[in-house]
Amino acid sequence: MEKPVNLDDIFRSRDFTALRENLSKLTPRDLAELIGDSPPHEQAIFFRILPRKLAASTFEYLPGEKQRHLLSPMAQNDTAAILNEMSPDDRTMLLEELPAEVTKELLSMLPADERKIAQSLLGIRNTQLAV
């Protein structure tokens, strides 16, 4: 998929309202491809201006490496919101790929009921990752 020319123009003009409106018209799969094909400095901008539910849906289509790259500079509230919106299976795949300390930190951001589901799917009981 190629980025529509008008998105490049809108991005360069820094009209983030128009960019958000145009990006919101794309499917999560197309957005993931667009974000993945963009330079790193654009990836975070594209992702952060998406409506929260669309960002969470798009996040699930990104490869693990891109997911980790996007999560690292995010505020804790943004990260927690995305994790909460992800399906338990997709969230588990992400958490399994991360270092133990990062997984523990992310698990602590989940509400108790979601944390129990995540820990169960990860096979965590009374281990070092239990929160």
Side-chain angles (χ1 to χ4, degrees), residues 75-94:
Q76 187 170 348
N77 290 348
D78 293 334
T79 301
I82 289 169
L83 289 172
N84 286 320
E85 292 288 334
M86 290 178 78
S87 73
D89 290 338
D90 287 329
R91 184 174 50 222
T92 300
M93 285 191 303
L94 170 66

Side-chain angles (χ1 to χ4, degrees), residues 4 14 27 29 31 35 42 63-64 66 70 75 89 97 118 121:
R14 298 294 196 231
T27 67
R29 185 181 304 269
L31 282 167
I35 290 169
E42 289 182 13
K66 296 286 183 197
L70 287 169
D89 290 338
E97 294 178 12
L121 290 171

Side-chain angles (χ1 to χ4, degrees), residues 48 59 66-76 79:
R48 298 215 24 144
F59 192 81
K66 296 286 183 197
Q67 289 177 340
R68 288 188 297 279
H69 172 75
L70 287 169
L71 282 178
S72 60
M74 281 187 185
Q76 187 170 348
T79 301

Side-chain angles (χ1 to χ4, degrees), residues 7-109:
L7 285 182
D8 287 329
D9 293 339
I10 295 169
F11 186 85
R12 277 193 293 279
S13 72
R14 298 294 196 231
D15 183 352
F16 295 115
T17 301
L19 186 59
R20 179 183 172 121
E21 289 172 8
N22 281 279
L23 290 174
S24 295
K25 295 174 185 174
L26 300 175
T27 67
R29 185 181 304 269
D30 287 343
L31 282 167
E33 189 175 331
L34 172 74
I35 290 169
D37 291 343
S38 298
H41 68 279
E42 289 182 13
Q43 291 175 0
I45 293 170
F46 283 140
F47 189 75
R48 298 215 24 144
I49 65 172
L50 293 174
R52 191 167 274 176
K53 285 190 182 281
L54 182 56
S57 296
T58 300
F59 192 81
E60 292 179 2
Y61 286 100
L62 292 169
E65 180 182 318
K66 296 286 183 197
Q67 289 177 340
R68 288 188 297 279
H69 172 75
L70 287 169
L71 282 178
S72 60
M74 281 187 185
Q76 187 170 348
N77 290 348
D78 293 334
T79 301
I82 289 169
L83 289 172
N84 286 320
E85 292 288 334
M86 290 178 78
S87 73
D89 290 338
D90 287 329
R91 184 174 50 222
T92 300
M93 285 191 303
L94 170 66
L95 294 173
E96 285 177 332
E97 294 178 12
L98 298 172
E101 285 305 309
V102 175
T103 298
K104 185 176 180 178
E105 181 181 340
L106 294 177
L107 284 171
S108 72
M109 295 179 192

